[in-house]
Amino acid sequence: MKINSISQQIHIGKYTRNIKMQDVQETAQSKDKVELSDSAVSFAAAMKNASATNITRSVSELNEMQEIKQQIKDGTFDVSGKDIADKMLKGMIIDIDV
């Protein structure tokens, strides 16, 4: 068989098409796999249960929440440093007692 530039180009074209088809087939066959740890699965279940739970708030709680949201929106919400320190210390005491 005589190989000239035209038949050489034809064979090169067939070869490259074949390689591209093999790449496409390999890509179609391979799939990503995700595995979650046991703690991630239990966390997801807990989040699902928590989102399904109806939380009932009293009218006074709802009003207080709305007031705080409005203060945050207006930029007037302020918490004293003493209140923050008290909560932090109470948290530390609870952690020590446990």
Side-chain angles (χ1 to χ4, degrees):
M1 167 172 129
K2 183 177 180 183
I3 299 178
N4 56 27
S5 65
I6 294 175
S7 67
Q8 187 177 16
Q9 290 174 356
I10 291 172
H11 292 296
I12 290 173
K14 287 181 182 180
Y15 174 77
T16 55
R17 280 192 299 278
N18 188 22
I19 295 295
K20 287 179 185 178
M21 288 184 62
Q22 287 177 354
D23 287 343
V24 169
Q25 289 173 349
E26 288 174 3
T27 304
Q29 290 175 356
S30 66
K31 292 186 178 184
D32 291 336
K33 184 178 180 182
V34 176
E35 292 184 24
L36 299 176
S37 66
D38 292 337
S39 60
V41 171
S42 62
F43 178 74
M47 289 299 292
K48 184 177 180 182
N49 290 337
S51 65
T53 304
N54 286 333
I55 299 175
T56 313
R57 304 230 184 248
S58 68
V59 174
S60 63
E61 287 177 318
L62 292 173
N63 288 339
E64 184 179 356
M65 288 170 56
Q66 194 62 34
E67 184 179 320
I68 291 171
K69 284 181 184 180
Q70 189 61 43
Q71 288 176 357
I72 291 171
K73 189 176 182 181
D74 295 341
T76 59
F77 181 73
D78 188 36
V79 179
S80 73
K82 184 183 180 307
D83 291 342
I84 294 172
D86 286 342
K87 289 284 186 174
M88 289 173 67
L89 289 174
K90 285 179 185 176
M92 289 173 54
I93 292 170
I94 291 171
D95 288 343
I96 292 171
D97 290 340
V98 174

Coordinates of all heavy atoms in Angstrom, one line a residue:
M1 N 0.8 -1.2 0.0 CA 0.0 0.0 0.0 C 0.9 1.2 0.0 O 1.8 1.3 0.8 CB -0.9 0.0 1.2 CG -1.6 1.2 1.6 SD -2.7 0.9 2.9 CE -2.3 2.2 3.9
K2 N 0.6 2.2 -0.9 CA 1.3 3.4 -1.0 C 0.7 4.4 -0.1 O -0.5 4.7 0.0 CB 1.3 3.9 -2.4 CG 2.1 5.1 -2.7 CD 2.1 5.5 -4.1 CE 3.0 6.7 -4.3 NZ 2.9 7.2 -5.7
I3 N 1.6 5.0 0.7 CA 1.1 6.1 1.7 C 1.6 7.4 1.1 O 2.7 7.7 1.0 CB 1.7 5.9 3.1 CG1 1.3 4.5 3.6 CG2 1.3 7.0 4.0 CD1 1.8 4.2 5.0
N4 N 0.6 8.2 0.8 CA 0.9 9.6 0.4 C 0.3 10.5 1.4 O -0.3 10.1 2.4 CB 0.4 9.8 -1.1 CG -1.1 9.6 -1.2 OD1 -1.8 9.7 -0.2 ND2 -1.5 9.3 -2.4
S5 N 0.4 11.8 1.2 CA 0.0 12.8 2.2 C -1.5 12.7 2.4 O -2.0 12.9 3.5 CB 0.5 14.2 1.8 OG -0.2 14.6 0.6
I6 N -2.3 12.4 1.4 CA -3.7 12.4 1.5 C -4.2 11.2 2.4 O -4.9 11.3 3.3 CB -4.5 12.4 0.1 CG1 -4.2 13.7 -0.6 CG2 -5.9 12.2 0.3 CD1 -4.7 13.8 -2.0
S7 N -3.7 10.0 2.0 CA -4.0 8.8 2.8 C -3.5 8.9 4.2 O -4.1 8.4 5.2 CB -3.6 7.5 2.1 OG -2.2 7.5 2.1
Q8 N -2.3 9.5 4.4 CA -1.8 9.7 5.7 C -2.7 10.6 6.5 O -2.9 10.3 7.7 CB -0.4 10.3 5.5 CG 0.4 10.4 6.8 CD 1.8 11.0 6.6 OE1 2.1 11.6 5.6 NE2 2.7 10.8 7.6
Q9 N -3.2 11.6 6.0 CA -4.1 12.5 6.7 C -5.4 11.8 7.0 O -6.0 12.0 8.1 CB -4.4 13.8 5.9 CG -3.2 14.7 5.7 CD -3.5 15.9 4.8 OE1 -4.5 15.9 4.2 NE2 -2.5 16.8 4.7
I10 N -5.9 11.0 6.1 CA -7.1 10.2 6.4 C -6.9 9.3 7.6 O -7.7 9.2 8.5 CB -7.5 9.4 5.2 CG1 -8.0 10.4 4.1 CG2 -8.6 8.4 5.5 CD1 -8.3 9.7 2.7
H11 N -5.7 8.6 7.6 CA -5.4 7.6 8.7 C -5.2 8.4 10.0 O -5.7 7.9 11.1 CB -4.2 6.8 8.4 CG -4.4 5.8 7.3 ND1 -5.3 4.8 7.4 CD2 -3.9 5.7 6.1 CE1 -5.3 4.1 6.3 NE2 -4.4 4.6 5.4
I12 N -4.6 9.5 10.0 CA -4.4 10.3 11.2 C -5.8 10.8 11.7 O -6.0 10.8 12.9 CB -3.5 11.5 10.9 CG1 -2.0 11.0 10.7 CG2 -3.5 12.5 12.1 CD1 -1.0 12.1 10.3
G13 N -6.6 11.2 10.8 CA -8.0 11.7 11.2 C -8.8 10.6 11.8 O -9.5 10.8 12.8
K14 N -8.7 9.4 11.2 CA -9.4 8.2 11.8 C -8.9 7.9 13.2 O -9.6 7.6 14.1 CB -9.3 7.0 10.9 CG -10.1 7.1 9.6 CD -9.9 5.8 8.8 CE -10.7 5.9 7.5 NZ -10.5 4.7 6.7
Y15 N -7.6 8.0 13.3 CA -6.9 7.7 14.6 C -7.4 8.7 15.7 O -7.8 8.3 16.8 CB -5.4 7.7 14.5 CG -4.7 7.5 15.8 CD1 -4.6 6.3 16.4 CD2 -4.1 8.6 16.4 CE1 -3.9 6.1 17.6 CE2 -3.4 8.5 17.6 CZ -3.4 7.2 18.2 OH -2.7 7.1 19.4
T16 N -7.4 9.9 15.4 CA -7.7 11.0 16.4 C -9.2 10.8 16.7 O -9.6 11.0 17.9 CB -7.4 12.4 15.9 OG1 -8.0 12.6 14.6 CG2 -5.9 12.6 15.8
R17 N -10.1 10.5 15.7 CA -11.5 10.4 16.0 C -11.7 9.2 17.0 O -12.5 9.2 17.9 CB -12.3 10.2 14.8 CG -12.6 11.5 14.1 CD -13.7 11.3 13.0 NE -13.3 10.4 11.9 CZ -12.5 10.8 10.9 NH1 -12.0 12.0 10.7 NH2 -12.2 9.9 9.9
N18 N -11.0 8.1 16.7 CA -11.0 6.9 17.5 C -10.6 7.2 19.0 O -11.3 6.8 19.9 CB -10.2 5.8 16.9 CG -10.4 4.5 17.6 OD1 -11.4 4.2 18.3 ND2 -9.4 3.6 17.5
I19 N -9.5 7.9 19.1 CA -9.1 8.3 20.5 C -10.1 9.2 21.2 O -10.4 9.0 22.4 CB -7.7 9.1 20.4 CG1 -6.6 8.2 19.8 CG2 -7.3 9.7 21.7 CD1 -6.3 7.0 20.8
K20 N -10.7 10.1 20.5 CA -11.7 11.0 21.1 C -12.9 10.2 21.5 O -13.5 10.4 22.6 CB -12.1 12.1 20.1 CG -11.1 13.2 19.9 CD -11.5 14.2 19.0 CE -10.4 15.3 18.7 NZ -10.8 16.3 17.7
M21 N -13.3 9.2 20.7 CA -14.5 8.4 21.0 C -14.2 7.6 22.3 O -15.0 7.4 23.1 CB -14.9 7.5 19.9 CG -15.6 8.3 18.7 SD -16.1 7.3 17.4 CE -17.3 6.2 18.2
Q22 N -13.0 7.0 22.4 CA -12.6 6.3 23.6 C -12.6 7.1 24.8 O -13.1 6.7 25.9 CB -11.2 5.7 23.4 CG -11.1 4.5 22.4 CD -9.7 4.0 22.2 OE1 -8.8 4.6 22.7 NE2 -9.6 2.9 21.5
D23 N -12.2 8.4 24.7 CA -12.2 9.3 25.8 C -13.6 9.6 26.3 O -13.9 9.6 27.5 CB -11.5 10.6 25.5 CG -10.0 10.5 25.4 OD1 -9.5 9.5 25.9 OD2 -9.3 11.4 24.8
V24 N -14.5 9.8 25.3 CA -15.9 10.0 25.6 C -16.5 8.8 26.3 O -17.3 9.0 27.3 CB -16.7 10.4 24.3 CG1 -18.2 10.4 24.6 CG2 -16.2 11.8 23.8
Q25 N -16.2 7.6 25.8 CA -16.8 6.4 26.4 C -16.3 6.2 27.8 O -17.0 5.9 28.7 CB -16.4 5.2 25.5 CG -17.2 5.1 24.2 CD -16.7 4.0 23.3 OE1 -15.7 3.4 23.6 NE2 -17.5 3.8 22.3
E26 N -15.0 6.5 28.1 CA -14.4 6.3 29.4 C -15.0 7.4 30.3 O -15.3 7.0 31.5 CB -12.9 6.5 29.3 CG -12.2 5.3 28.7 CD -10.7 5.6 28.5 OE1 -10.2 6.6 29.0 OE2 -10.0 4.7 28.0
T27 N -15.3 8.6 29.9 CA -15.9 9.6 30.7 C -17.3 9.2 31.0 O -17.7 9.5 32.2 CB -15.8 11.0 30.0 OG1 -14.5 11.3 29.6 CG2 -16.4 12.1 30.8
A28 N -18.0 8.7 30.1 CA -19.4 8.3 30.3 C -19.5 7.2 31.3 O -20.5 7.1 32.1 CB -20.1 7.9 29.0
Q29 N -18.5 6.3 31.3 CA -18.6 5.1 32.2 C -18.1 5.5 33.6 O -18.6 4.9 34.6 CB -17.7 4.0 31.7 CG -18.2 3.4 30.4 CD -17.2 2.4 29.8 OE1 -16.1 2.2 30.3 NE2 -17.7 1.7 28.8
S30 N -17.2 6.4 33.8 CA -16.8 6.8 35.1 C -17.8 7.7 35.8 O -18.3 8.7 35.2 CB -15.4 7.4 35.1 OG -15.4 8.6 34.4
K31 N -18.0 7.5 37.1 CA -19.0 8.3 37.8 C -18.3 8.7 39.1 O -17.5 7.9 39.7 CB -20.3 7.6 38.1 CG -21.1 7.3 36.9 CD -22.4 6.7 37.2 CE -23.2 6.5 35.9 NZ -24.6 6.0 36.2
D32 N -18.6 9.9 39.6 CA -18.1 10.3 40.9 C -18.9 9.6 42.0 O -20.0 9.2 41.9 CB -18.3 11.8 41.1 CG -17.4 12.6 40.1 OD1 -16.4 12.1 39.7 OD2 -17.8 13.8 39.8
K33 N -18.2 9.4 43.1 CA -18.7 8.7 44.2 C -18.5 9.5 45.5 O -17.4 10.0 45.7 CB -18.1 7.3 44.4 CG -18.7 6.5 45.4 CD -18.1 5.1 45.5 CE -18.7 4.2 46.6 NZ -18.1 2.9 46.7
V34 N -19.5 9.7 46.3 CA -19.4 10.5 47.5 C -19.8 9.6 48.6 O -20.8 8.9 48.6 CB -20.4 11.7 47.5 CG1 -20.3 12.4 48.8 CG2 -20.0 12.6 46.3
E35 N -19.0 9.5 49.7 CA -19.3 8.8 50.9 C -19.3 9.7 52.1 O -18.4 10.5 52.2 CB -18.2 7.7 51.1 CG -18.2 6.6 50.0 CD -17.2 5.5 50.3 OE1 -16.9 5.3 51.5 OE2 -16.9 4.8 49.4
L36 N -20.3 9.6 52.9 CA -20.4 10.5 54.0 C -20.1 9.7 55.3 O -20.4 8.5 55.4 CB -21.9 11.0 54.2 CG -22.4 11.9 53.0 CD1 -23.8 12.3 53.2 CD2 -21.5 13.1 52.8
S37 N -19.4 10.4 56.2 CA -19.1 9.7 57.5 C -20.4 9.5 58.3 O -21.4 10.1 58.0 CB -18.1 10.6 58.3 OG -18.7 11.8 58.7
D38 N -20.2 8.6 59.3 CA -21.4 8.3 60.1 C -21.9 9.6 60.8 O -23.1 9.8 61.0 CB -21.1 7.2 61.2 CG -20.8 5.9 60.5 OD1 -21.3 5.7 59.4 OD2 -20.2 5.0 61.1
S39 N -20.9 10.4 61.3 CA -21.3 11.6 62.0 C -22.0 12.6 61.0 O -22.9 13.3 61.4 CB -20.1 12.3 62.6 OG -19.1 12.6 61.7
A40 N -21.6 12.6 59.8 CA -22.3 13.5 58.8 C -23.7 13.1 58.5 O -24.6 13.9 58.4 CB -21.5 13.6 57.5
V41 N -23.9 11.7 58.5 CA -25.2 11.2 58.2 C -26.1 11.5 59.4 O -27.3 11.9 59.2 CB -25.1 9.7 58.0 CG1 -26.5 9.0 57.9 CG2 -24.4 9.4 56.7
S42 N -25.6 11.3 60.6 CA -26.4 11.6 61.8 C -26.7 13.1 61.9 O -27.8 13.5 62.3 CB -25.8 11.0 63.1 OG -24.6 11.6 63.3
F43 N -25.7 13.9 61.6 CA -26.0 15.4 61.6 C -27.0 15.8 60.6 O -27.9 16.6 60.9 CB -24.7 16.1 61.3 CG -24.8 17.6 61.3 CD1 -25.0 18.3 62.4 CD2 -24.8 18.3 60.1 CE1 -25.1 19.7 62.4 CE2 -25.0 19.6 60.0 CZ -25.1 20.4 61.2
A44 N -27.0 15.2 59.4 CA -28.0 15.5 58.4 C -29.4 15.0 58.9 O -30.4 15.8 58.7 CB -27.7 14.8 57.1
A45 N -29.5 13.9 59.5 CA -30.8 13.4 60.1 C -31.3 14.4 61.2 O -32.5 14.7 61.2 CB -30.6 12.0 60.6
A46 N -30.4 14.8 62.0 CA -30.7 15.8 63.1 C -31.2 17.1 62.5 O -32.2 17.7 63.0 CB -29.6 16.0 64.0
M47 N -30.5 17.6 61.5 CA -31.0 18.8 60.8 C -32.3 18.7 60.2 O -33.1 19.6 60.2 CB -29.9 19.3 59.8 CG -28.6 19.8 60.4 SD -28.8 21.2 61.5 CE -29.3 22.4 60.3
K48 N -32.6 17.5 59.6 CA -33.9 17.3 58.9 C -35.0 17.3 60.0 O -36.0 17.9 59.8 CB -33.8 16.0 58.2 CG -35.1 15.7 57.4 CD -35.0 14.4 56.6 CE -36.2 14.1 55.8 NZ -36.1 12.8 55.1
N49 N -34.7 16.6 61.1 CA -35.7 16.6 62.2 C -35.9 17.9 62.8 O -37.1 18.3 63.1 CB -35.3 15.6 63.3 CG -35.4 14.1 62.8 OD1 -36.1 13.8 61.9 ND2 -34.6 13.3 63.5
A50 N -34.9 18.7 62.9 CA -35.0 20.0 63.5 C -35.8 21.0 62.6 O -36.6 21.8 63.1 CB -33.6 20.6 63.8
S51 N -35.6 20.8 61.3 CA -36.3 21.7 60.4 C -37.8 21.3 60.3 O -38.6 22.2 60.0 CB -35.6 21.7 59.0 OG -35.8 20.4 58.4
A52 N -38.1 20.1 60.6 CA -39.5 19.6 60.6 C -40.2 20.0 61.8 O -41.4 19.9 61.9 CB -39.5 18.1 60.3
T53 N -39.5 20.4 62.9 CA -40.1 20.7 64.2 C -40.7 22.1 64.1 O -40.1 23.0 63.7 CB -39.1 20.6 65.3 OG1 -38.4 19.3 65.3 CG2 -39.7 20.8 66.6
N54 N -42.0 22.1 64.6 CA -42.6 23.4 64.7 C -42.2 24.1 66.0 O -42.4 23.5 67.1 CB -44.2 23.3 64.6 CG -44.6 23.0 63.2 OD1 -44.0 23.4 62.3 ND2 -45.8 22.3 63.1
I55 N -41.7 25.3 66.0 CA -41.3 26.0 67.2 C -42.4 27.0 67.4 O -42.7 27.9 66.6 CB -40.0 26.7 67.0 CG1 -38.9 25.6 66.8 CG2 -39.6 27.5 68.2 CD1 -37.5 26.2 66.5
T56 N -43.0 26.9 68.6 CA -44.1 27.8 69.0 C -43.5 28.9 69.9 O -42.9 28.6 70.9 CB -45.2 27.1 69.7 OG1 -45.5 25.9 68.9 CG2 -46.4 28.0 69.7
R57 N -43.7 30.1 69.5 CA -43.2 31.2 70.4 C -44.3 32.0 70.9 O -45.4 32.2 70.2 CB -42.3 32.1 69.5 CG -41.1 31.4 68.9 CD -39.8 32.1 69.2 NE -38.7 31.5 68.5 CZ -37.7 30.9 69.1 NH1 -37.7 30.8 70.4 NH2 -36.7 30.3 68.4
S58 N -44.1 32.6 72.1 CA -45.2 33.4 72.6 C -45.2 34.8 71.9 O -44.2 35.1 71.2 CB -45.0 33.6 74.1 OG -43.8 34.4 74.3
V59 N -46.3 35.5 72.1 CA -46.4 36.8 71.5 C -45.3 37.7 72.0 O -44.7 38.5 71.2 CB -47.8 37.4 71.8 CG1 -47.9 38.8 71.2 CG2 -48.9 36.5 71.2
S60 N -45.0 37.7 73.3 CA -44.0 38.6 73.8 C -42.6 38.2 73.2 O -41.8 39.1 72.9 CB -43.9 38.5 75.3 OG -43.6 37.2 75.7
E61 N -42.3 36.9 73.0 CA -41.0 36.6 72.4 C -41.0 37.0 70.9 O -39.9 37.6 70.5 CB -40.9 35.0 72.4 CG -40.6 34.4 73.7 CD -40.5 32.9 73.7 OE1 -41.3 32.3 73.1 OE2 -39.6 32.4 74.4
L62 N -42.1 36.9 70.2 CA -42.1 37.4 68.8 C -41.9 38.9 68.7 O -41.2 39.4 67.9 CB -43.4 36.9 68.2 CG -43.6 35.4 67.9 CD1 -45.0 35.1 67.4 CD2 -42.5 34.9 67.0
N63 N -42.6 39.6 69.7 CA -42.4 41.1 69.7 C -41.0 41.5 70.0 O -40.5 42.4 69.4 CB -43.4 41.7 70.7 CG -44.8 41.6 70.2 OD1 -45.1 41.5 69.0 ND2 -45.8 41.7 71.2
E64 N -40.4 40.8 71.0 CA -39.0 41.1 71.3 C -38.1 40.8 70.1 O -37.1 41.6 69.8 CB -38.6 40.3 72.5 CG -37.2 40.6 73.0 CD -36.8 39.8 74.3 OE1 -37.6 39.1 74.8 OE2 -35.6 39.9 74.7
M65 N -38.3 39.7 69.5 CA -37.5 39.3 68.3 C -37.6 40.4 67.2 O -36.6 40.8 66.6 CB -37.8 37.9 67.8 CG -37.4 36.8 68.7 SD -38.1 35.2 68.3 CE -37.6 35.0 66.6
Q66 N -38.8 40.8 67.0 CA -39.1 41.8 65.9 C -38.4 43.1 66.3 O -37.8 43.8 65.4 CB -40.6 42.0 65.8 CG -41.0 42.8 64.5 CD -40.5 42.0 63.2 OE1 -40.5 40.8 63.2 NE2 -40.2 42.8 62.2
E67 N -38.5 43.5 67.6 CA -37.8 44.7 68.0 C -36.3 44.7 67.8 O -35.7 45.6 67.4 CB -38.2 44.9 69.5 CG -37.6 46.2 70.1 CD -38.0 46.4 71.6 OE1 -39.2 46.0 71.9 OE2 -37.2 46.8 72.3
I68 N -35.7 43.5 68.2 CA -34.3 43.4 68.0 C -33.9 43.4 66.5 O -32.9 44.0 66.1 CB -33.8 42.1 68.7 CG1 -33.9 42.2 70.2 CG2 -32.3 41.7 68.3 CD1 -33.6 40.9 70.9
K69 N -34.7 42.7 65.7 CA -34.4 42.8 64.2 C -34.5 44.2 63.7 O -33.6 44.6 62.9 CB -35.5 41.9 63.5 CG -35.3 40.5 63.6 CD -36.3 39.7 62.8 CE -36.3 38.2 62.9 NZ -37.3 37.5 62.1
Q70 N -35.4 45.0 64.2 CA -35.5 46.4 63.7 C -34.3 47.2 64.2 O -33.8 48.0 63.5 CB -36.8 47.0 64.2 CG -37.1 48.3 63.6 CD -37.3 48.3 62.1 OE1 -37.9 47.4 61.6 NE2 -36.7 49.2 61.4
Q71 N -33.9 47.0 65.5 CA -32.7 47.7 66.0 C -31.5 47.3 65.2 O -30.7 48.2 64.9 CB -32.5 47.3 67.5 CG -33.5 47.9 68.4 CD -33.3 47.5 69.8 OE1 -32.4 46.7 70.1 NE2 -34.1 48.0 70.7
I72 N -31.3 46.1 64.8 CA -30.2 45.7 64.0 C -30.2 46.3 62.7 O -29.2 46.8 62.2 CB -30.1 44.1 63.9 CG1 -29.8 43.5 65.2 CG2 -29.1 43.7 62.8 CD1 -29.9 42.0 65.3
K73 N -31.4 46.3 62.1 CA -31.6 47.0 60.8 C -31.3 48.4 60.8 O -30.7 49.0 59.9 CB -33.1 46.7 60.3 CG -33.3 47.1 58.9 CD -34.8 46.7 58.5 CE -35.1 47.1 57.1 NZ -36.4 46.7 56.7
D74 N -31.7 49.1 61.9 CA -31.5 50.6 62.0 C -30.1 50.9 62.5 O -29.6 52.0 62.4 CB -32.5 51.1 63.1 CG -33.9 51.1 62.6 OD1 -34.2 50.9 61.4 OD2 -34.8 51.2 63.5
G75 N -29.3 49.9 62.9 CA -28.0 50.1 63.4 C -27.9 50.6 64.9 O -26.9 51.1 65.3
T76 N -29.0 50.4 65.6 CA -29.1 50.9 67.0 C -29.0 49.8 68.0 O -29.0 50.1 69.2 CB -30.4 51.7 67.2 OG1 -31.5 50.8 66.9 CG2 -30.5 52.9 66.3
F77 N -28.8 48.6 67.6 CA -28.8 47.5 68.5 C -27.4 47.5 69.2 O -26.4 47.6 68.6 CB -29.0 46.1 67.8 CG -28.9 44.9 68.7 CD1 -30.0 44.7 69.5 CD2 -27.8 44.1 68.7 CE1 -30.0 43.6 70.4 CE2 -27.8 43.0 69.5 CZ -28.9 42.7 70.4
D78 N -27.5 47.5 70.6 CA -26.2 47.5 71.3 C -26.3 46.6 72.5 O -27.4 46.5 73.2 CB -26.0 49.0 71.9 CG -24.7 49.1 72.5 OD1 -23.7 48.5 72.0 OD2 -24.6 49.9 73.5
V79 N -25.3 45.8 72.7 CA -25.2 44.9 73.8 C -24.0 45.4 74.7 O -22.9 45.6 74.2 CB -25.0 43.5 73.4 CG1 -24.9 42.5 74.6 CG2 -26.1 43.0 72.5
S80 N -24.2 45.5 76.0 CA -23.1 45.9 76.8 C -22.1 44.9 77.0 O -22.4 43.7 77.0 CB -23.7 46.3 78.2 OG -24.0 45.2 79.0
G81 N -20.9 45.3 77.2 CA -19.8 44.4 77.3 C -19.9 43.6 78.6 O -19.5 42.4 78.7
K82 N -20.5 44.2 79.6 CA -20.8 43.5 80.9 C -21.7 42.3 80.7 O -21.5 41.2 81.2 CB -21.4 44.4 81.9 CG -21.6 43.8 83.3 CD -22.2 44.8 84.2 CE -22.5 44.2 85.6 NZ -23.2 42.9 85.6
D83 N -22.7 42.5 79.9 CA -23.7 41.3 79.6 C -23.0 40.2 78.9 O -23.2 39.0 79.2 CB -24.9 41.8 78.7 CG -25.8 42.8 79.5 OD1 -25.7 42.8 80.8 OD2 -26.6 43.5 78.8
I84 N -22.1 40.6 77.9 CA -21.4 39.5 77.2 C -20.4 38.8 78.1 O -20.4 37.6 78.1 CB -20.6 40.2 76.0 CG1 -21.5 40.7 75.0 CG2 -19.6 39.1 75.4 CD1 -20.9 41.5 73.9
A85 N -19.7 39.5 79.0 CA -18.8 38.9 80.0 C -19.5 38.0 80.9 O -19.1 36.9 81.3 CB -18.0 40.0 80.7
D86 N -20.7 38.5 81.4 CA -21.5 37.6 82.3 C -21.9 36.3 81.7 O -21.8 35.3 82.3 CB -22.7 38.4 82.8 CG -22.4 39.5 83.8 OD1 -21.3 39.5 84.4 OD2 -23.3 40.4 84.0
K87 N -22.3 36.4 80.5 CA -22.7 35.1 79.7 C -21.5 34.2 79.5 O -21.7 33.0 79.7 CB -23.4 35.5 78.4 CG -24.7 36.1 78.5 CD -25.8 35.1 78.8 CE -27.1 35.7 78.7 NZ -28.2 34.8 78.9
M88 N -20.4 34.8 79.2 CA -19.2 34.0 79.0 C -18.8 33.3 80.3 O -18.5 32.1 80.3 CB -18.1 34.8 78.4 CG -18.3 35.3 77.0 SD -17.0 36.5 76.5 CE -15.6 35.4 76.4
L89 N -18.8 34.0 81.4 CA -18.4 33.5 82.7 C -19.4 32.4 83.1 O -19.0 31.3 83.6 CB -18.3 34.5 83.8 CG -17.1 35.5 83.6 CD1 -17.2 36.6 84.6 CD2 -15.8 34.7 83.8
K90 N -20.7 32.6 82.9 CA -21.7 31.6 83.3 C -21.5 30.3 82.4 O -21.6 29.2 82.9 CB -23.1 32.2 83.0 CG -23.6 33.1 84.1 CD -25.0 33.6 83.8 CE -25.3 34.7 84.8 NZ -26.7 35.3 84.5
G91 N -21.1 30.5 81.2 CA -20.9 29.4 80.3 C -19.7 28.6 80.8 O -19.6 27.4 80.8
M92 N -18.6 29.3 81.3 CA -17.5 28.6 81.8 C -17.8 27.9 83.0 O -17.3 26.7 83.3 CB -16.3 29.7 82.0 CG -15.7 30.2 80.8 SD -14.6 31.6 81.1 CE -13.4 30.9 82.2
I93 N -18.6 28.4 83.9 CA -19.0 27.8 85.1 C -19.8 26.5 84.8 O -19.6 25.5 85.4 CB -19.8 28.7 86.1 CG1 -18.8 29.8 86.6 CG2 -20.4 28.0 87.2 CD1 -19.5 31.0 87.3
I94 N -20.7 26.6 83.9 CA -21.5 25.4 83.5 C -20.6 24.3 83.0 O -20.7 23.2 83.3 CB -22.6 25.8 82.5 CG1 -23.6 26.7 83.2 CG2 -23.2 24.6 81.9 CD1 -24.6 27.3 82.2
D95 N -19.6 24.7 82.1 CA -18.6 23.7 81.6 C -17.8 23.1 82.7 O -17.5 21.9 82.6 CB -17.7 24.4 80.6 CG -18.4 24.8 79.3 OD1 -19.5 24.2 79.0 OD2 -17.9 25.6 78.5
I96 N -17.4 23.8 83.7 CA -16.6 23.2 84.8 C -17.5 22.3 85.6 O -17.0 21.2 86.0 CB -16.1 24.4 85.7 CG1 -15.0 25.2 84.9 CG2 -15.5 23.8 87.0 CD1 -14.6 26.4 85.6
D97 N -18.7 22.6 85.8 CA -19.6 21.8 86.7 C -19.9 20.5 86.0 O -20.2 19.5 86.6 CB -20.9 22.5 87.0 CG -20.7 23.6 88.0 OD1 -19.6 23.6 88.7 OD2 -21.6 24.5 88.1
V98 N -19.9 20.4 84.7 CA -20.3 19.2 83.9 C -19.1 18.3 84.0 O -18.6 17.5 84.5 CB -20.6 19.5 82.4 CG1 -20.8 18.3 81.7 CG2 -21.8 20.4 82.4

